[in-house]
Amino acid sequence: MFLQSISNYRALAIMMIVSVHVYPYGLENTTGYLSVIKNLLSNSTALFVFISGFMFHHVFMRNYNYKKFIKSKLERVVSPYLFLSTLAIALLFITNNGYFSESFYDSDTRFFSSSDSSFITIVKYYLTGRMLTAYWYIPFAILLFVCAPLHRKYGLLSMNKQIAIFLLFSIVSLFVHRSMGNINPFQMLIYFTPFYLLGILFSKNREVLTRNSLSRGLILMALTVSLAIYQYSVGHQGNYIKPLFQYGGVDIMFIQKIFMATSLYYLLDALSFKNKCVDYVSDVSFAIYFLHPWVLTILKRLPFELQIPTVDVFKYVFVFSFVIISSVFIAIFTHKILNSVIRTKYIIGY
């Protein structure tokens, strides 16, 4: 059954994800309310994971078939990842750029080394998604898909047991944090799994949980904003990042995004609407995820400088809009031109 609220949620989530990657174009070195806004936007991938968990239960649990589930993910996620990653890696190799350059220093993770052979470097790129902005998500997502039988068992449990397991995994995530350079898919699996479980929990218990949606959504959003302000007040901006086995305190961003994921679910359920542009963005959301790093790569290589160290909200909004519109246009144009020759979902996810 199609849910307009979840479709709108997907569109909002992908736009928030792209907005974070556009920070260098006018939203760097912020202070005050702009830094609070950045704390609200950061780690928006958690919203995408929440939706994925919700849709896993809503769509695949009814007639669960692990092979069909994996096949659908291979077609819509893994295949375009391999195609576009191979293209990106080939360009990096040809131009002797990135980790193919001996002068390149991996200060974030030390996972890559200048002593690595070209073959080892290529393998590491595929395993980490480090070749392009945002591509780290796919190696993590593959691990998430492999865990589908466990997620199905979770989806069959009573709500009380689901809540208990969700809370247990959340406590772990609070101290795990996101990985350095987004480079460890296993750490990302640990960190983001509670959001996936929360999506399953909300889908299964939708009739019970979706009551007084507007008031619940407003209360949870108030808590979300309060935590974002608190993060700024203690001098923290953005995600909490550390090596897996190093202690780094409590991840406040994780709590904030749990509140945000649930508040947006309630608000979009209470204030559901239909808009053609929003529907387009939702329909091509995965294509936007795959394509927007390419648009950003092109912007970086223009003969004039767009990235600025100062704050320019107008430029930021302009570049963000350009990236979203360009990604949607490329997805729709590619689909219309090539889909009769090759199913474009295999190369761009749409």
Side-chain angles (χ1 to χ4, degrees), residues 21-265:
H21 300 148
V22 186
Y23 282 167
Y25 299 90
L27 219 58
E28 293 280 39
N29 303 315
T30 57
T31 58
Y33 76 94
L34 287 177
S35 291
V36 174
I37 291 174
K38 288 173 70 175
N39 276 334
L40 290 170
L41 293 174
S42 296
N43 205 26
S44 295
T45 303
L47 307 179
F48 220 59
V49 178
F50 172 85
I51 298 168
S52 296
F54 188 98
M55 294 306 293
F56 171 78
H57 180 273
H58 186 70
V59 175
F60 292 100
M61 282 284 289
R62 294 182 180 182
N63 297 295
Y64 178 79
N65 184 299
Y66 185 62
K67 290 184 178 179
K68 288 184 178 179
F69 173 75
I70 292 297
K71 182 176 181 293
S72 70
K73 298 306 178 183
L74 287 173
E75 292 175 348
R76 293 293 297 270
V77 180
V78 179
S79 177
Y81 173 71
L82 292 176
F83 174 78
L84 293 170
S85 295
T86 300
L87 181 58
I89 293 170
L91 290 173
L92 290 172
F93 181 79
I94 292 170
T95 58
N96 192 32
N97 214 329
Y99 296 111
F100 288 112
S101 171
E102 291 186 2
S103 62
F104 199 93
Y105 181 63
D106 182 19
S107 59
D108 286 336
T109 67
R110 311 291 175 86
F111 182 70
F112 288 82
S113 171
S114 58
S115 62
D116 289 338
S117 66
S118 294
F119 175 75
I120 294 299
T121 301
I122 291 170
V123 171
K124 288 183 177 181
Y125 268 133
Y126 281 123
L127 292 176
T128 62
R130 189 96 168 146
M131 74 293 289
L132 277 174
T133 300
Y135 275 33
W136 65 265
Y137 181 85
I138 308 304
F140 145 70
I142 291 171
L143 295 178
L144 200 62
F145 302 151
V146 171
C147 294
L150 295 176
H151 297 147
R152 178 175 180 269
K153 290 183 178 180
Y154 175 82
L156 296 173
L157 297 174
S158 65
M159 186 170 70
N160 288 338
K161 289 182 179 179
Q162 286 182 330
I163 292 174
I165 292 173
F166 160 74
L167 291 175
L168 179 62
F169 273 81
S170 294
I171 292 171
V172 174
S173 295
L174 282 174
F175 297 97
V176 166
H177 301 192
R178 288 177 55 149
S179 73
M180 300 291 291
N182 299 322
I183 212 165
N184 185 341
F186 291 98
Q187 184 173 346
M188 294 303 215
L189 177 66
I190 297 170
Y191 180 78
F192 282 109
T193 286
F195 294 98
Y196 198 82
L197 299 182
L198 188 63
I200 294 174
L201 190 157
F202 265 76
S203 177
K204 182 186 178 183
N205 306 286
R206 186 165 176 265
E207 292 185 4
V208 175
L209 295 175
T210 311
R211 296 173 182 171
N212 304 314
S213 291
L214 184 58
S215 58
R216 290 184 180 185
L218 291 174
I219 292 171
L220 287 167
M221 184 54 71
L223 291 172
T224 301
V225 175
S226 297
L227 281 176
I229 295 172
Y230 170 75
Q231 288 174 273
Y232 173 69
S233 71
V234 297
H236 187 90
Q237 185 171 286
N239 300 322
Y240 289 70
I241 299 170
K242 69 173 184 64
L244 178 57
F245 297 108
Q246 177 180 307
Y247 177 74
V250 176
D251 189 333
I252 302 300
M253 178 63 77
F254 175 86
I255 303 173
Q256 186 229 102
K257 280 297 172 289
I258 288 291
F259 285 152
M260 178 176 280
T262 50
S263 67
L264 288 177
Y265 172 82

